[in-house]
Amino acid sequence: MPTLKTLILALAVIGLSGTALAQHSEYSGDEDRVIKSLSADDIEELRRGGGLGFARAAELNGVPGPSHLLELADETNLNAEQRAAIEAQFHSMQADAIEAGERFIIDVSMPPNFERHL
């Protein structure tokens, strides 16, 4: 059976190694961010309605979104009517994404027990 000295020593070693790991983590400094899990670039991407890479799965499965279709408009020989329809869809999706991004930023910026009255 471990002695009290052994347990105290083990806890001290575990505590020190945890501190050392935290100091050398690739996430060191992120604890100082306004939103710890989002970089300034991530927040800007949300505010402009960018996708943060969420369209990747669809695109890898052969289903590109409207922004990618517009990027490839010349290569895919879109006619004017098709291009206009895709642009309208893109602008609608972007407006929705900007609104959702702003709500998300507000939600994750609030303290955990903050009463939300929206």
Side-chain angles (χ1 to χ4, degrees), residues 2-103:
T3 65
L4 184 57
K5 274 190 200 176
T6 306
L7 286 173
I8 292 172
L9 180 61
L11 289 172
V13 169
I14 290 169
L16 290 175
S17 64
T19 302
L21 285 174
Q23 290 173 352
H24 297 296
S25 168
E26 65 182 281
Y27 305 114
S28 248
D30 289 0
E31 67 275 3
D32 298 329
R33 293 176 176 175
V34 173
I35 301 172
K36 292 174 184 29
S37 61
L38 297 175
S39 69
D41 289 342
D42 293 337
I43 293 170
E44 179 58 32
E45 186 74 0
L46 285 168
R47 287 202 161 119
R48 72 169 195 80
L52 289 175
F54 294 141
R56 184 176 187 186
E59 191 170 338
L60 290 172
N61 286 294
V63 187
S67 68
H68 297 111
L69 286 173
L70 292 171
E71 289 171 9
L72 301 169
D74 293 333
E75 295 171 39
T76 56
N77 297 317
L78 292 177
N79 64 37
E81 185 180 325
Q82 290 169 323
R83 187 184 291 240
I86 293 168
E87 285 175 349
Q89 183 181 24
F90 171 75
H91 292 299
S92 174
M93 288 176 62
Q94 188 176 37
D96 290 345
I98 290 169
E99 184 180 326
E102 288 296 338
R103 279 194 319 266

